[in-house]
Amino acid sequence: MNHFRPFGAGYVSEFDMFLNSYMAEHPEVLKDQQHGWDIWWDVLVDLDALDKQRSDTVPEKPYHYD
């Protein structure tokens, strides 16, 4: 097996070789990963609606169970 990356990038571990071959055989994993990224991180935020929501809230009293 080739334990070196092209262009002199250095040693490639067995885990890296496994992961690279797995990703080459299963491209749907990358699509699923991108879908998860879109759900949790790439969310468009309406700043006007966020400001309205913050201004409409009533502050909670420190001892609300009295």
Side-chain angles (χ1 to χ4, degrees), residues 40-62:
W40 293 105
W41 296 106
D42 294 338
V43 178
L44 296 176
V45 177
D46 184 4
L47 297 177
D48 293 331
L50 187 61
D51 286 339
K52 183 177 181 330
Q53 178 187 6
R54 287 182 180 157
S55 66
D56 287 347
T57 58
V58 177
E60 187 175 332
K61 294 181 181 179

Side-chain angles (χ1 to χ4, degrees), residues 23-44:
M23 293 301 283
E25 294 170 4
H26 299 92
E28 69 277 2
V29 172
L30 188 59
K31 290 179 185 177
D32 189 42
Q33 183 181 24
Q34 183 63 43
H35 179 69
W37 182 268
D38 292 340
I39 290 173
W40 293 105
W41 296 106
D42 294 338
V43 178
L44 296 176

Side-chain angles (χ1 to χ4, degrees), residues 6-21:
F7 308 113
Y11 175 77
V12 179
S13 69
E14 290 181 20
F15 179 75
D16 282 335
M17 288 189 292
F18 165 75
L19 198 56
N20 291 337
S21 66

